[in-house]
Amino acid sequence: PIGENDSDLRLQILKTLQKNPECFFVIGAGQKYFNALIQLVTLGYKGMIITDYSATWPGFYKNYPEVAERILTVTSVESNNFKTKYKPLGMTVLTHAPIHDIALILADAYMTSNGDTEKMAQYINNIKDYDGALGKLTMQPGGNIHLPTQIVTVKNGELVPVE
């Protein structure tokens, strides 16, 4: 685990590398997360890195191709195309597809329920085939969601599905 104030993870990484891991699983957010990914590779790790969708941010994978090409991540089939859908309209999207969908779902729930939180929860729990940036989203029992997903990696500076 990475501590809240840790930004240099080299010592932790070196200790782990001595155990010859088959892969690394890295999740997080912000610069500390990207530091961990970069430091893994600069310290000589040659294997795969399994991580969350944060690694699909073009500013990361295009600037650090030597790191990005070791990454496997799971993302929705549609979210990789989310930002490009708005380019013909002359719009720049500054958010990730999940945040976009969450904001719209919460707004719809609020408007439909007049702010009644119990009705909002019912609205959200009954979502079926919501056509959002992530694709067709359906709520499952317990608050889980179902949507088409794929495993992607980076090749030649572009996100590509793993066959």
Side-chain angles (χ1 to χ4, degrees):
I2 299 170
E4 186 176 329
N5 297 317
D6 293 342
S7 59
D8 185 347
L9 307 169
R10 289 179 287 201
L11 184 59
Q12 291 170 291
I13 292 169
L14 286 170
K15 286 181 182 179
T16 306
L17 286 174
Q18 291 174 352
K19 298 176 183 178
N20 297 317
E22 292 182 36
C23 72
F24 271 84
F25 178 71
V26 180
I27 57 172
Q31 192 58 50
K32 293 176 188 178
Y33 164 80
F34 293 119
N35 285 350
L37 297 173
I38 294 163
Q39 289 173 11
L40 269 169
V41 174
T42 58
L43 289 171
Y45 180 64
K46 304 278 187 227
M48 292 306 296
I49 302 167
I50 300 171
T51 188
D52 63 16
Y53 70 91
S54 298
T56 65
W57 177 55
F60 172 71
Y61 71 79
K62 291 189 183 283
N63 289 320
Y64 299 98
E66 69 283 359
V67 178
E69 294 195 3
R70 289 192 168 72
I71 288 176
L72 289 177
T73 189
V74 177
T75 186
S76 80
V77 172
E78 290 299 315
S79 68
N80 291 332
N81 301 320
F82 172 59
K83 292 182 182 185
T84 58
K85 289 179 183 179
Y86 291 89
K87 286 202 187 276
L89 304 174
M91 298 172 70
T92 300
V93 178
L94 299 175
T95 186
H96 290 290
I99 296 168
H100 176 269
D101 284 354
I102 290 167
L104 290 181
I105 288 169
L106 287 174
D108 288 348
Y110 183 84
M111 297 300 288
T112 302
S113 68
N114 293 317
D116 181 319
T117 54
E118 286 186 27
K119 289 180 181 176
M120 286 177 70
Q122 289 174 345
Y123 176 90
I124 292 169
N125 285 326
N126 289 317
I127 289 174
K128 182 174 174 144
D129 294 329
Y130 176 85
D131 192 16
L134 290 172
K136 295 280 187 184
L137 181 139
T138 298
M139 293 300 291
Q140 302 291 313
N144 294 318
I145 61 169
H146 175 267
L147 61 116
T149 57
Q150 64 184 354
I151 298 174
V152 296
T153 190
V154 176
K155 294 288 181 200
N156 300 317
E158 298 297 324
L159 288 175
V160 295
V162 174
E163 300 293 327

